[in-house]
Short mmCIF file of all heavy atoms in Angstrom, two decimals:
data_model
loop_
_atom_site.label_atom_id
_atom_site.label_comp_id
_atom_site.label_asym_id
_atom_site.label_seq_id
_atom_site.Cartn_x
_atom_site.Cartn_y
_atom_site.Cartn_z
N MET A 1 -1.54 12.24 -9.87
CA MET A 1 -1.48 11.07 -9.05
C MET A 1 -2.35 11.36 -7.79
O MET A 1 -2.22 12.41 -7.22
CB MET A 1 -0.02 10.75 -8.70
CG MET A 1 0.17 9.63 -7.81
SD MET A 1 1.83 9.09 -7.43
CE MET A 1 2.93 10.12 -8.28
N SER A 2 -3.17 10.41 -7.42
CA SER A 2 -4.04 10.61 -6.25
C SER A 2 -3.20 10.57 -4.96
O SER A 2 -2.11 10.01 -4.97
CB SER A 2 -5.09 9.52 -6.19
OG SER A 2 -4.50 8.24 -5.82
N GLU A 3 -3.72 11.20 -3.97
CA GLU A 3 -3.05 11.20 -2.68
C GLU A 3 -2.90 9.76 -2.14
O GLU A 3 -1.85 9.42 -1.59
CB GLU A 3 -3.80 12.07 -1.65
CG GLU A 3 -3.67 13.52 -1.92
CD GLU A 3 -2.26 14.06 -1.76
OE1 GLU A 3 -1.63 13.74 -0.72
OE2 GLU A 3 -1.79 14.75 -2.63
N GLN A 4 -3.92 8.98 -2.34
CA GLN A 4 -3.89 7.58 -1.87
C GLN A 4 -2.76 6.80 -2.53
O GLN A 4 -2.03 6.10 -1.88
CB GLN A 4 -5.21 6.87 -2.13
CG GLN A 4 -5.25 5.46 -1.70
CD GLN A 4 -6.59 4.77 -1.95
OE1 GLN A 4 -7.51 5.40 -2.45
NE2 GLN A 4 -6.62 3.46 -1.76
N LEU A 5 -2.61 7.00 -3.88
CA LEU A 5 -1.56 6.29 -4.55
C LEU A 5 -0.22 6.77 -4.09
O LEU A 5 0.73 5.96 -3.93
CB LEU A 5 -1.72 6.52 -6.09
CG LEU A 5 -0.67 5.78 -6.97
CD1 LEU A 5 -0.68 4.30 -6.68
CD2 LEU A 5 -0.95 6.10 -8.42
N LYS A 6 -0.04 8.07 -3.89
CA LYS A 6 1.28 8.59 -3.40
C LYS A 6 1.62 7.98 -2.08
O LYS A 6 2.76 7.55 -1.85
CB LYS A 6 1.20 10.08 -3.20
CG LYS A 6 1.31 10.86 -4.48
CD LYS A 6 1.45 12.37 -4.38
CE LYS A 6 1.14 13.08 -3.19
NZ LYS A 6 1.21 14.56 -3.28
N TYR A 7 0.65 7.82 -1.15
CA TYR A 7 0.95 7.29 0.15
C TYR A 7 1.26 5.76 0.04
O TYR A 7 2.12 5.23 0.73
CB TYR A 7 -0.18 7.51 1.13
CG TYR A 7 -0.15 8.90 1.69
CD1 TYR A 7 -1.05 9.88 1.29
CD2 TYR A 7 0.78 9.29 2.66
CE1 TYR A 7 -1.05 11.17 1.75
CE2 TYR A 7 0.83 10.57 3.17
CZ TYR A 7 -0.09 11.51 2.72
OH TYR A 7 -0.04 12.79 3.22
N GLU A 8 0.53 5.06 -0.85
CA GLU A 8 0.77 3.63 -1.06
C GLU A 8 2.20 3.39 -1.58
O GLU A 8 2.90 2.54 -1.10
CB GLU A 8 -0.22 3.06 -2.02
CG GLU A 8 -1.61 2.88 -1.45
CD GLU A 8 -2.59 2.37 -2.47
OE1 GLU A 8 -2.20 1.73 -3.45
OE2 GLU A 8 -3.84 2.58 -2.23
N ILE A 9 2.62 4.24 -2.54
CA ILE A 9 3.95 4.08 -3.09
C ILE A 9 4.99 4.50 -2.07
O ILE A 9 6.02 3.77 -1.94
CB ILE A 9 4.07 4.91 -4.40
CG1 ILE A 9 3.20 4.36 -5.49
CG2 ILE A 9 5.54 4.97 -4.85
CD1 ILE A 9 3.10 5.23 -6.73
N ALA A 10 4.73 5.52 -1.33
CA ALA A 10 5.68 5.91 -0.27
C ALA A 10 5.88 4.78 0.75
O ALA A 10 7.02 4.50 1.17
CB ALA A 10 5.24 7.18 0.42
N ARG A 11 4.76 4.14 1.09
CA ARG A 11 4.81 3.03 2.04
C ARG A 11 5.64 1.86 1.45
O ARG A 11 6.51 1.29 2.09
CB ARG A 11 3.42 2.54 2.38
CG ARG A 11 3.33 1.61 3.52
CD ARG A 11 1.92 1.20 3.93
NE ARG A 11 0.96 2.34 3.88
CZ ARG A 11 -0.04 2.47 2.99
NH1 ARG A 11 -0.26 1.54 2.10
NH2 ARG A 11 -0.82 3.52 3.03
N GLU A 12 5.37 1.56 0.19
CA GLU A 12 6.07 0.46 -0.45
C GLU A 12 7.56 0.74 -0.57
O GLU A 12 8.38 -0.16 -0.43
CB GLU A 12 5.50 0.28 -1.90
CG GLU A 12 6.02 -0.92 -2.60
CD GLU A 12 5.31 -1.16 -3.91
OE1 GLU A 12 4.07 -0.91 -4.03
OE2 GLU A 12 5.98 -1.61 -4.87
N LEU A 13 7.96 1.97 -0.80
CA LEU A 13 9.40 2.32 -0.95
C LEU A 13 10.05 2.65 0.41
O LEU A 13 11.22 2.94 0.46
CB LEU A 13 9.54 3.51 -1.91
CG LEU A 13 9.08 3.20 -3.32
CD1 LEU A 13 9.23 4.48 -4.19
CD2 LEU A 13 9.86 2.08 -3.92
N GLY A 14 9.27 2.68 1.47
CA GLY A 14 9.78 2.89 2.81
C GLY A 14 10.06 4.32 3.19
O GLY A 14 10.86 4.60 4.12
N VAL A 15 9.42 5.27 2.52
CA VAL A 15 9.61 6.66 2.88
C VAL A 15 8.35 7.24 3.58
O VAL A 15 8.28 8.44 3.79
CB VAL A 15 9.96 7.51 1.66
CG1 VAL A 15 11.33 7.11 1.10
CG2 VAL A 15 8.93 7.45 0.60
N ASP A 16 7.40 6.38 3.92
CA ASP A 16 6.14 6.85 4.51
C ASP A 16 6.41 7.52 5.89
O ASP A 16 5.71 8.47 6.24
CB ASP A 16 5.16 5.71 4.63
CG ASP A 16 5.65 4.48 5.35
OD1 ASP A 16 6.83 4.16 5.24
OD2 ASP A 16 4.85 3.84 6.07
N GLN A 17 7.42 7.05 6.63
CA GLN A 17 7.69 7.67 7.92
C GLN A 17 8.25 9.08 7.77
O GLN A 17 7.95 9.93 8.57
CB GLN A 17 8.69 6.79 8.73
CG GLN A 17 8.05 5.54 9.25
CD GLN A 17 6.83 5.82 10.14
OE1 GLN A 17 6.92 6.66 11.03
NE2 GLN A 17 5.76 5.06 9.93
N VAL A 18 9.05 9.28 6.74
CA VAL A 18 9.59 10.60 6.46
C VAL A 18 8.41 11.54 6.15
O VAL A 18 8.31 12.68 6.69
CB VAL A 18 10.60 10.58 5.29
CG1 VAL A 18 10.98 12.00 4.88
CG2 VAL A 18 11.81 9.79 5.61
N VAL A 19 7.50 11.11 5.32
CA VAL A 19 6.32 11.90 4.96
C VAL A 19 5.48 12.18 6.20
O VAL A 19 5.06 13.31 6.42
CB VAL A 19 5.49 11.18 3.91
CG1 VAL A 19 4.20 11.94 3.60
CG2 VAL A 19 6.27 11.03 2.61
N ALA A 20 5.27 11.18 7.03
CA ALA A 20 4.44 11.33 8.21
C ALA A 20 5.01 12.31 9.25
O ALA A 20 4.30 13.08 9.85
CB ALA A 20 4.21 9.96 8.85
N THR A 21 6.34 12.29 9.36
CA THR A 21 6.97 13.10 10.39
C THR A 21 7.43 14.49 9.91
O THR A 21 7.40 15.43 10.64
CB THR A 21 8.16 12.41 11.04
OG1 THR A 21 9.14 12.05 10.06
CG2 THR A 21 7.71 11.15 11.76
N GLN A 22 7.85 14.55 8.61
CA GLN A 22 8.45 15.73 8.11
C GLN A 22 7.78 16.34 6.91
O GLN A 22 8.11 17.46 6.45
CB GLN A 22 9.95 15.47 7.75
CG GLN A 22 10.78 15.01 8.91
CD GLN A 22 12.15 14.58 8.52
OE1 GLN A 22 12.76 15.20 7.63
NE2 GLN A 22 12.69 13.60 9.14
N GLY A 23 6.84 15.62 6.29
CA GLY A 23 6.16 16.11 5.14
C GLY A 23 6.84 15.70 3.82
O GLY A 23 7.97 15.20 3.81
N TRP A 24 6.13 15.98 2.72
CA TRP A 24 6.61 15.56 1.40
C TRP A 24 7.89 16.29 1.07
O TRP A 24 8.75 15.79 0.27
CB TRP A 24 5.56 15.85 0.33
CG TRP A 24 4.42 14.86 0.39
CD1 TRP A 24 3.18 15.09 0.86
CD2 TRP A 24 4.47 13.46 0.02
NE1 TRP A 24 2.41 13.97 0.81
CE2 TRP A 24 3.16 12.94 0.29
CE3 TRP A 24 5.46 12.60 -0.50
CZ2 TRP A 24 2.87 11.58 0.04
CZ3 TRP A 24 5.12 11.30 -0.76
CH2 TRP A 24 3.85 10.80 -0.49
N GLY A 25 8.08 17.51 1.56
CA GLY A 25 9.28 18.28 1.21
C GLY A 25 10.58 17.69 1.73
O GLY A 25 11.64 18.01 1.18
N ALA A 26 10.49 16.81 2.66
CA ALA A 26 11.67 16.12 3.23
C ALA A 26 12.06 14.86 2.44
O ALA A 26 13.13 14.29 2.73
CB ALA A 26 11.44 15.79 4.68
N VAL A 27 11.26 14.44 1.54
CA VAL A 27 11.57 13.25 0.75
C VAL A 27 12.69 13.60 -0.26
O VAL A 27 12.58 14.63 -0.96
CB VAL A 27 10.31 12.71 0.00
CG1 VAL A 27 10.64 11.53 -0.86
CG2 VAL A 27 9.22 12.37 1.01
N SER A 28 13.70 12.78 -0.30
CA SER A 28 14.85 13.06 -1.16
C SER A 28 14.47 13.03 -2.64
O SER A 28 13.47 12.40 -3.02
CB SER A 28 15.95 12.05 -0.93
OG SER A 28 15.60 10.78 -1.44
N SER A 29 15.24 13.69 -3.44
CA SER A 29 15.05 13.73 -4.86
C SER A 29 15.09 12.28 -5.45
O SER A 29 14.27 11.96 -6.30
CB SER A 29 16.05 14.58 -5.56
OG SER A 29 15.99 15.92 -5.14
N ARG A 30 16.00 11.52 -4.95
CA ARG A 30 16.12 10.12 -5.44
C ARG A 30 14.81 9.38 -5.15
O ARG A 30 14.29 8.66 -5.98
CB ARG A 30 17.31 9.43 -4.78
CG ARG A 30 17.36 7.93 -5.15
CD ARG A 30 18.55 7.29 -4.55
NE ARG A 30 19.69 7.65 -5.46
CZ ARG A 30 20.94 7.67 -5.08
NH1 ARG A 30 21.28 7.25 -3.87
NH2 ARG A 30 21.89 7.97 -5.92
N ASP A 31 14.31 9.52 -3.91
CA ASP A 31 13.10 8.80 -3.54
C ASP A 31 11.88 9.35 -4.36
O ASP A 31 11.03 8.54 -4.74
CB ASP A 31 12.82 8.94 -2.04
CG ASP A 31 13.73 8.05 -1.24
OD1 ASP A 31 14.24 7.01 -1.76
OD2 ASP A 31 14.04 8.40 -0.06
N CYS A 32 11.84 10.64 -4.61
CA CYS A 32 10.79 11.17 -5.47
C CYS A 32 10.84 10.57 -6.88
O CYS A 32 9.84 10.21 -7.44
CB CYS A 32 10.88 12.70 -5.53
SG CYS A 32 10.35 13.52 -4.00
N GLY A 33 12.05 10.46 -7.39
CA GLY A 33 12.23 9.84 -8.70
C GLY A 33 11.79 8.37 -8.69
O GLY A 33 11.15 7.94 -9.63
N ASN A 34 12.13 7.68 -7.62
CA ASN A 34 11.71 6.31 -7.53
C ASN A 34 10.16 6.22 -7.42
O ASN A 34 9.58 5.26 -7.97
CB ASN A 34 12.33 5.65 -6.28
CG ASN A 34 13.80 5.41 -6.42
OD1 ASN A 34 14.30 5.35 -7.54
ND2 ASN A 34 14.51 5.29 -5.36
N MET A 35 9.55 7.18 -6.75
CA MET A 35 8.09 7.17 -6.68
C MET A 35 7.47 7.40 -8.05
O MET A 35 6.50 6.73 -8.41
CB MET A 35 7.65 8.26 -5.66
CG MET A 35 7.92 7.92 -4.27
SD MET A 35 7.22 9.11 -3.07
CE MET A 35 5.48 8.96 -3.33
N VAL A 36 8.01 8.33 -8.80
CA VAL A 36 7.52 8.58 -10.16
C VAL A 36 7.67 7.36 -11.05
O VAL A 36 6.77 6.94 -11.75
CB VAL A 36 8.22 9.82 -10.79
CG1 VAL A 36 7.88 9.91 -12.26
CG2 VAL A 36 7.85 11.06 -10.03
N ALA A 37 8.83 6.69 -10.96
CA ALA A 37 9.08 5.47 -11.73
C ALA A 37 8.08 4.42 -11.34
O ALA A 37 7.53 3.73 -12.28
CB ALA A 37 10.49 5.00 -11.50
N LYS A 38 7.79 4.25 -10.09
CA LYS A 38 6.86 3.23 -9.63
C LYS A 38 5.44 3.61 -10.13
O LYS A 38 4.70 2.72 -10.54
CB LYS A 38 6.83 3.18 -8.14
CG LYS A 38 6.00 2.05 -7.54
CD LYS A 38 6.55 0.73 -7.91
CE LYS A 38 5.78 -0.40 -7.27
NZ LYS A 38 6.24 -1.69 -7.68
N ALA A 39 5.05 4.88 -10.09
CA ALA A 39 3.73 5.32 -10.56
C ALA A 39 3.60 5.01 -12.07
O ALA A 39 2.51 4.59 -12.52
CB ALA A 39 3.54 6.79 -10.26
N ILE A 40 4.65 5.25 -12.84
CA ILE A 40 4.62 4.97 -14.24
C ILE A 40 4.46 3.50 -14.48
O ILE A 40 3.70 3.05 -15.35
CB ILE A 40 5.86 5.53 -14.93
CG1 ILE A 40 5.86 7.06 -14.95
CG2 ILE A 40 6.05 4.98 -16.37
CD1 ILE A 40 7.14 7.73 -15.35
N GLU A 41 5.23 2.70 -13.75
CA GLU A 41 5.06 1.23 -13.85
C GLU A 41 3.64 0.78 -13.60
O GLU A 41 3.10 -0.04 -14.34
CB GLU A 41 6.02 0.59 -12.85
CG GLU A 41 6.01 -0.90 -12.76
CD GLU A 41 6.87 -1.44 -11.66
OE1 GLU A 41 7.99 -0.96 -11.51
OE2 GLU A 41 6.41 -2.32 -10.92
N ILE A 42 3.01 1.31 -12.52
CA ILE A 42 1.63 0.99 -12.21
C ILE A 42 0.71 1.37 -13.31
O ILE A 42 -0.19 0.60 -13.75
CB ILE A 42 1.23 1.61 -10.84
CG1 ILE A 42 2.00 0.91 -9.71
CG2 ILE A 42 -0.28 1.48 -10.66
CD1 ILE A 42 1.89 1.66 -8.40
N ALA A 43 0.88 2.58 -13.84
CA ALA A 43 0.00 3.09 -14.96
C ALA A 43 0.16 2.22 -16.19
O ALA A 43 -0.83 1.87 -16.84
CB ALA A 43 0.38 4.55 -15.25
N GLU A 44 1.38 1.86 -16.53
CA GLU A 44 1.62 1.00 -17.73
C GLU A 44 0.98 -0.34 -17.55
O GLU A 44 0.38 -0.89 -18.47
CB GLU A 44 3.12 0.89 -17.99
CG GLU A 44 3.71 2.19 -18.55
CD GLU A 44 5.22 2.04 -18.76
OE1 GLU A 44 5.90 1.19 -18.08
OE2 GLU A 44 5.77 2.89 -19.48
N ARG A 45 1.03 -0.89 -16.34
CA ARG A 45 0.44 -2.19 -16.06
C ARG A 45 -1.05 -2.09 -16.19
O ARG A 45 -1.74 -2.97 -16.78
CB ARG A 45 0.82 -2.63 -14.67
CG ARG A 45 0.47 -4.07 -14.38
CD ARG A 45 0.91 -4.56 -13.02
NE ARG A 45 2.12 -3.93 -12.49
CZ ARG A 45 2.20 -3.40 -11.27
NH1 ARG A 45 1.21 -3.37 -10.45
NH2 ARG A 45 3.32 -2.82 -10.91
N ASN A 46 -1.67 -1.02 -15.69
CA ASN A 46 -3.08 -0.81 -15.80
C ASN A 46 -3.56 -0.66 -17.23
O ASN A 46 -4.59 -1.24 -17.62
CB ASN A 46 -3.56 0.38 -14.97
CG ASN A 46 -3.47 0.14 -13.47
OD1 ASN A 46 -3.40 -0.98 -13.06
ND2 ASN A 46 -3.44 1.20 -12.66
N ILE A 47 -2.79 0.08 -18.02
CA ILE A 47 -3.11 0.26 -19.44
C ILE A 47 -3.04 -1.09 -20.14
O ILE A 47 -3.91 -1.41 -20.99
CB ILE A 47 -2.20 1.28 -20.12
CG1 ILE A 47 -2.54 2.66 -19.57
CG2 ILE A 47 -2.31 1.23 -21.64
CD1 ILE A 47 -1.50 3.73 -19.96
N ALA A 48 -2.05 -1.91 -19.85
CA ALA A 48 -1.87 -3.20 -20.47
C ALA A 48 -3.08 -4.11 -20.15
O ALA A 48 -3.59 -4.82 -20.97
CB ALA A 48 -0.55 -3.83 -20.06
N GLN A 49 -3.47 -4.02 -18.85
CA GLN A 49 -4.63 -4.81 -18.45
C GLN A 49 -5.93 -4.37 -19.12
O GLN A 49 -6.76 -5.22 -19.54
CB GLN A 49 -4.80 -4.76 -16.94
CG GLN A 49 -3.76 -5.56 -16.17
CD GLN A 49 -3.84 -5.34 -14.67
OE1 GLN A 49 -4.57 -4.47 -14.17
NE2 GLN A 49 -3.09 -6.11 -13.93
N GLN A 50 -6.07 -3.10 -19.29
CA GLN A 50 -7.29 -2.60 -19.99
C GLN A 50 -7.25 -3.01 -21.43
O GLN A 50 -8.28 -3.34 -22.01
CB GLN A 50 -7.30 -1.04 -19.90
CG GLN A 50 -7.67 -0.52 -18.52
CD GLN A 50 -7.55 0.98 -18.41
OE1 GLN A 50 -7.10 1.64 -19.38
NE2 GLN A 50 -7.94 1.51 -17.26
N ASN A 51 -6.12 -2.94 -22.09
CA ASN A 51 -5.95 -3.40 -23.49
C ASN A 51 -6.31 -4.90 -23.61
O ASN A 51 -6.87 -5.27 -24.60
CB ASN A 51 -4.59 -3.06 -24.06
CG ASN A 51 -4.43 -1.57 -24.27
OD1 ASN A 51 -5.39 -0.82 -24.35
ND2 ASN A 51 -3.20 -1.12 -24.36
N GLN A 52 -5.88 -5.67 -22.68
CA GLN A 52 -6.15 -7.11 -22.66
C GLN A 52 -7.63 -7.37 -22.60
O GLN A 52 -8.17 -8.21 -23.25
CB GLN A 52 -5.44 -7.80 -21.51
CG GLN A 52 -3.95 -7.92 -21.67
CD GLN A 52 -3.54 -9.01 -22.59
OE1 GLN A 52 -4.23 -10.02 -22.71
NE2 GLN A 52 -2.45 -8.81 -23.29
N ALA A 53 -8.33 -6.56 -21.77
CA ALA A 53 -9.77 -6.71 -21.57
C ALA A 53 -10.52 -6.38 -22.88
O ALA A 53 -11.56 -6.92 -23.15
CB ALA A 53 -10.24 -5.86 -20.43
N ILE A 54 -9.99 -5.41 -23.61
CA ILE A 54 -10.66 -4.99 -24.87
C ILE A 54 -10.52 -6.09 -25.90
O ILE A 54 -11.47 -6.31 -26.68
CB ILE A 54 -10.06 -3.68 -25.37
CG1 ILE A 54 -10.41 -2.52 -24.42
CG2 ILE A 54 -10.49 -3.34 -26.78
CD1 ILE A 54 -9.71 -1.22 -24.71
N LEU A 55 -9.37 -6.75 -25.93
CA LEU A 55 -9.16 -7.77 -26.96
C LEU A 55 -9.88 -9.01 -26.52
O LEU A 55 -10.51 -9.72 -27.05
CB LEU A 55 -7.69 -8.12 -27.07
CG LEU A 55 -6.79 -6.89 -27.49
CD1 LEU A 55 -5.30 -7.37 -27.47
CD2 LEU A 55 -7.16 -6.46 -28.88
#
């Protein structure tokens, strides 16, 4: 996952301030899991869009 995407997802989930002040190590396991779930959702959406463009 790109750094840009990580920061965008962190911002969307409201943990960007934790990252900014304390670093990625301070992000809770739950929030990390939510970030991974969001990244998967984005990837799946992008794949679906690519498949639509091919058809």
Side-chain angles (χ1 to χ4, degrees):
M1 177 175 359
S2 72
E3 287 296 311
Q4 180 181 354
L5 182 58
K6 282 190 341 187
Y7 282 105
E8 287 177 23
I9 293 172
R11 190 175 322 111
E12 187 174 325
L13 296 177
V15 297
D16 55 325
Q17 288 301 316
V18 173
V19 174
T21 59
Q22 301 173 35
W24 288 107
V27 177
S28 72
S29 296
R30 174 176 282 157
D31 286 332
C32 287
N34 289 338
M35 288 184 66
V36 170
K38 186 68 174 175
I40 291 169
E41 177 185 316
I42 291 168
E44 288 175 340
R45 190 175 333 128
N46 288 342
I47 290 169
Q49 288 173 349
Q50 289 174 353
N51 288 341
Q52 288 282 330
I54 292 171
L55 300 175

